[in-house]
Amino acid sequence: MLTIGSHLSSSKGFLHMGKEAVSIGANTFQFFTRNPRGSKAKEIDEKDVAEFRRFAEENGIRVILAHAPYTLNACSKDVHTREFALQTMEDDLRRMEYVPGNYYNFHPGSHTGQGAEEGIRQIAELLNAILKPEQTTTVLLETMAGKGTEVGRSFEELREILDRVELSDHMGVCLDTCHVYDAGYDIVGNLEGILKEFDRVIGLDRLKAVHINDSKNPFASHKDRHEKIGEGSLGLETFAKIVNHSALRELPFYLETPNDLEGYAKEIQILRNV
Ligand code: FE
Ligand code: FE
Ligand code: ZN
């Protein structure tokens, strides 16, 4: 059975997200660890977490994916911005251990003039400062569209970050279908070839999750604007191939399409039926 869910609001806690996921036919979900703009997070409510873990067990909710605030920048030229990213991610990882064994995804960042090589070094430096041998959370680098000075626009850049992380067993990759297509990986015309390329450069064993989004923009546009499933430049046929591909179908899929809950429920149904 496909493991699929959508992005949900975390403002009412874990149990609420679990119930919402089940109500839309999902068996996983993604959430922001805090306000996406990166403000202070609520302290973990241990009762809510205990109730959620029981509910997840009873309802077959599988691995869940936390998303770091997208405004963090681990490779800013500005040392204070990097320090803020470090403190926020370190605190997120501490709180993730209340729901052990799940995933924490982040955007590698945008170098702000110092170049991708230096950006990659700074991202790895941050990860080396916050990863702990005993943590149960796997940290995922998201494949990026290559907007502006984004790092992580190619499989090679992600590989270079992974190579520099000491506790690399705690690291993986989340492939965003909209982002890789926008970045110039033709998963519409050549899914097989792109997955081979991913395997050659990074290794498919590193691929832990998929963000399943259509794109509002054409191939290689470097734009990053998500579209509803089947309504953008990727198209439903591509998604049918993706969710059924032998290298992908066991992975968890997370919708980040422009939808309300009802729209997500429909997309989950569509993807379960293709
Ligand atoms: Fe993201
Ligand atoms: Fe994404
Ligand atoms: Zn995006």
Side-chain angles (χ1 to χ4, degrees), residues 88-154:
T88 304
M89 289 174 66
E90 189 169 48
D91 186 53
D92 279 351
L93 287 179
R94 179 185 64 77
R95 288 180 306 115
M96 283 300 289
E97 291 300 310
Y98 285 91
V99 280
N102 289 302
Y103 295 151
Y104 178 72
N105 172 74
F106 79 105
H107 296 178
S110 293
H111 75 78
T112 42
Q114 75 278 42
E117 266 315 302
E118 178 63 4
I120 286 165
R121 197 194 59 71
Q122 288 165 332
I123 295 159
E125 182 177 71
L126 179 146
L127 289 165
N128 284 328
I130 64 173
L131 294 182
K132 298 196 165 64
E134 68 275 15
Q135 76 181 56
T136 66
T137 304
T138 303
V139 176
L140 308 185
L141 301 168
E142 181 165 354
T143 60
M144 300 311 293
K147 240 187 321 130
T149 62
E150 264 172 4
V151 174
R153 63 180 64 215
S154 68

Side-chain angles (χ1 to χ4, degrees), residues 8-14 16-17 31-32 42:
L8 297 175
S9 163
S10 56
S11 62
K12 292 183 183 148
F14 281 101
H16 187 262
M17 288 190 281
F31 61 100
F32 284 125
K42 269 193 301 202

Side-chain angles (χ1 to χ4, degrees), residues 159-206:
R159 174 62 204 242
E160 282 191 54
I161 299 169
L162 293 171
D163 280 347
R164 287 171 164 82
V165 176
E166 285 147 25
L167 296 172
S168 124
D169 285 358
H170 295 312
M171 296 294 304
V173 173
C174 174
L175 183 140
D176 186 308
T177 57
C178 166
H179 296 180
V180 291
Y181 192 64
D182 281 16
Y185 289 101
D186 185 11
I187 53 174
V188 175
N190 185 20
L191 177 63
E192 207 52 51
I194 300 303
L195 290 175
K196 281 216 176 79
E197 167 118 359
F198 187 101
D199 194 35
R200 181 181 61 80
V201 177
I202 301 179
L204 279 168
D205 56 328
R206 290 280 188 184

Side-chain angles (χ1 to χ4, degrees), residues 48 52 85 125 127 135 137 150 152 155 167-168 183 218-219 234 255 261 273:
D48 172 52
F52 164 71
E125 182 177 71
L127 289 165
Q135 76 181 56
T137 304
E150 264 172 4
F155 298 160
L167 296 172
S168 124
F219 179 59
L234 276 75
L255 291 158
L261 277 182
N273 289 334

